[in-house]
Amino acid sequence: MAGRRAKPKAKPSKGYKRPSYSHLLDETVGCADMLLLEAVAEGDLVENLKKRYNAGEIYTYISTVMVSVNPYRPLDIYTDDYISEYRSRNMLELPPHIFAIADQAYCSMR
């Protein structure tokens, strides 16, 4: 249809904060979300998990699914401070953690 103008895109509401996904590419060892891997063969997935495990990162996402590698030792990542940090945040704003998955599930029930 000639002469018809496209609708302008809706602007985000006031106070909207665009989630930052930069940490997934810049600040973590390996790939925090394996959906972003270029190659998705079994060996590539295992190599990524190995890199992250060796750096002390036991949680990795595959989109909205979480993969956890048992560290076979106690970790200090299940404190009230971690709960507060992950509460009401976008799942990809912070490094992968079970609290992010739990919060996403809780928020979707509200």
Side-chain angles (χ1 to χ4, degrees), residues 6-102:
K7 280 187 175 180
K9 290 184 180 178
K11 292 185 179 179
S13 62
K14 195 172 190 173
Y16 172 81
K17 182 182 174 205
R18 183 179 302 269
S20 168
Y21 302 104
S22 63
H23 80 277
L24 292 175
L25 302 174
D26 299 334
E27 300 172 15
T28 58
V29 174
C31 188
D33 188 341
M34 292 197 291
L35 188 65
L36 302 174
L37 288 174
E38 289 181 25
V40 289
E42 181 181 352
D44 300 313
L45 300 178
V46 170
E47 181 62 30
N48 187 59
L49 290 172
K50 220 183 263 189
K51 270 188 208 173
R52 292 183 53 73
Y53 176 81
N54 289 334
E57 299 285 344
I58 65 165
Y59 295 122
T60 306
Y61 294 132
I62 303 176
S63 186
T64 58
V65 175
M66 175 171 281
V67 176
S68 176
V69 180
N70 190 339
Y72 295 103
R73 62 186 164 84
L75 298 175
D76 191 28
I77 60 172
Y78 305 106
T79 63
D80 290 339
D81 291 337
Y82 273 88
I83 293 171
S84 297
E85 188 175 357
Y86 281 85
R87 183 173 287 137
S88 300
R89 300 284 293 269
N90 182 294
M91 194 172 105
L92 299 176
E93 283 184 74
L94 297 169
H97 197 288
I98 194 66
F99 291 157
I101 297 290

